[in-house]
């Protein structure tokens, strides 16, 4: 069985993720109460239909009024089945509020707020789902993601079997736009020579060879890269030994276009050569 529970903050992209998994062959169920997870698991595992052996379900605050039991139900169900993974979606409060305003949909908890404020409903939900977030196998923050980026991230995690291996996700970003919430490790490369101050390189990115040559051509970068790889070469097998399914390494510079993109590509290339399953995303390169 390959059983994925999609949960997290309302407005963060859970339904979009469910559609992506459905597109690649998962039997999909939206808004199922946590109490029904064992029954669904049993039915699917015993089914003669092979499609029923890959299941994705959304479990969130819409499906119950007893939120504590929802968290307990998800966590207990996961502890009883090694083939169950939790995919948690998050986003910053401001981004979620804007999405609800744009879609003109009601937040599922807004009726529980005295003044009916979406901002307070979001804060309430964040507190309610905190426990499940701590048990998640995968955490995706969609604050700055486009729909295309969300789809690519989900596909990178589930298009192939990820139950027996560690997925290394390298994400370049700009500190000026905020640290990615899903990052397990943050590598700050703002100490390296900055192509931004070179007129011919300012409007290029780490995806362009001249920028890569400039960044990697300095002794500072080579020494920094050497020590960073030594750290990751030591740490990654330890995460794998502990059974972690995904390790997200954030690589940040000021704007997320030059140094972070270059170094993230170097790290991804290194671990790809070592045989790890790697994913790379440049969050802010188009800003």
């Amino acid at each position: 069985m390959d059983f994925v529970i999609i949960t997290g903050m309302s407005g963060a992209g859970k339904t979009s993720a469910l559609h992506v998994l459905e597109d690649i062959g998962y039997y999909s169920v939206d808004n199922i109460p946590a109490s029904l997870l064992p029954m669904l698991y049993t039915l699917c595992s015993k089914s003669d239909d092979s499609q029923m052996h890959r299941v994705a379900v959304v479990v969130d605050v819409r499906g119950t009024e007893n939120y504590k039991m929802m968290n307990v139900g998800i966590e207990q169900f996961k502890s009883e089945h090694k083939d169950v993974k939790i995919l948690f979606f998050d986003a910053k409060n401001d981004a979620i509020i804007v999405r609800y305003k744009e879609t003109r949909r009601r937040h599922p908890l807004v009726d529980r707020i005295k003044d009916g404020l979406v901002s307070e409903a979001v804060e309430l939900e964040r507190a309610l789902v905190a426990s499940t977030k701590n048990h998640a196998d995968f955490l995706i923050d969609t604050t700055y993601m486009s729909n295309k980026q969300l789809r690519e991230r989900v596909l990178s995690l589930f298009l192939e079997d990820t139950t027996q291996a560690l997925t290394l996700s390298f994400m370049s970003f700009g500190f000026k736009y905020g640290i990615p919430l899903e990052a397990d490790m943050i590598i700050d490369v703002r100490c390296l020579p900055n192509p931004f101050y070179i007129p011919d390189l300012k409007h290029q990115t780490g995806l362009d060879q001249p920028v890569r040559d400039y960044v990697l051509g300095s002794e500072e970068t080579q020494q920094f890269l050497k020590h960073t790889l030594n750290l990751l070469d030591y740490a990654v097998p330890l995460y794998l030994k502990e059974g972690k399914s995904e390790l997200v390494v954030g690589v940040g510079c000021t704007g997320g276009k030059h140094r972070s993109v270059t170094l993230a590509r170097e790290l991804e290339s290194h671990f790809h050569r070592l045989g790890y399953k790697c994913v790379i995303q440049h969050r802010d390169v188009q800003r």
Side-chain angles (χ1 to χ4, degrees), residues 22 38 42 77 154 265 272:
E22 185 175 12
T42 300
F77 177 71
V154 173
R265 292 180 67 189
H272 181 78

Side-chain angles (χ1 to χ4, degrees), residues 59-165:
V59 182
D60 56 24
V61 296
R62 295 172 298 166
T64 182
E65 293 185 356
N66 191 332
Y67 307 114
K68 182 178 180 180
M69 290 306 299
M70 179 191 76
N71 289 327
V72 171
I74 293 175
E75 294 158 18
Q76 181 176 344
F77 177 71
K78 183 181 186 301
S79 69
E80 294 173 351
H81 302 284
K82 294 182 179 180
D83 50 7
V84 171
K85 301 296 182 184
I86 297 178
L87 173 59
F88 191 99
F89 278 85
D90 202 353
K92 291 184 177 180
N93 289 8
D94 290 347
I96 293 175
I97 292 170
V98 168
R99 291 169 188 175
Y100 271 100
K101 288 182 178 179
E102 290 177 345
T103 60
R104 297 185 179 181
R105 298 196 64 189
R106 290 171 58 84
H107 190 282
L109 298 181
V110 76
D111 290 336
R112 293 182 172 272
I113 304 301
K114 182 178 179 181
D115 298 325
L117 296 177
V118 175
S119 59
E120 294 185 12
V122 173
E123 287 286 359
L124 173 60
E125 183 178 26
R126 189 171 298 284
L128 294 174
V129 300
S131 175
T132 299
K133 180 179 179 179
N134 292 331
H135 289 80
D137 297 280
F138 306 102
L139 171 62
I140 297 180
D141 183 286
T142 63
T143 302
Y144 302 108
M145 276 189 180
S146 64
N147 288 333
K148 181 176 182 294
Q149 289 174 321
L150 185 153
R151 179 178 179 83
E152 290 174 348
R153 182 69 184 282
V154 173
L155 287 176
S156 71
L157 293 175
F158 296 102
L159 191 58
E160 298 177 5
D161 180 19
T162 62
T163 59
Q164 301 299 320

Side-chain angles (χ1 to χ4, degrees), residues 143-208:
T143 302
Y144 302 108
M145 276 189 180
S146 64
N147 288 333
K148 181 176 182 294
Q149 289 174 321
L150 185 153
R151 179 178 179 83
E152 290 174 348
R153 182 69 184 282
V154 173
L155 287 176
S156 71
L157 293 175
F158 296 102
L159 191 58
E160 298 177 5
D161 180 19
T162 62
T163 59
Q164 301 299 320
L166 172 68
T167 299
L168 292 175
S169 296
F170 297 97
M171 178 185 297
S172 69
F173 70 94
F175 277 95
K176 66 189 293 185
Y177 303 114
I179 295 175
L181 297 180
E182 66 266 48
D184 298 293
M185 302 176 67
I186 294 292
I187 298 173
D188 186 348
V189 300
R190 289 176 292 183
C191 58
L192 302 179
N194 192 352
F196 180 83
Y197 297 108
I198 308 299
D200 291 340
L201 303 179
K202 179 177 181 179
H203 298 293
Q204 298 187 52
T205 73
L207 299 176
D208 299 307

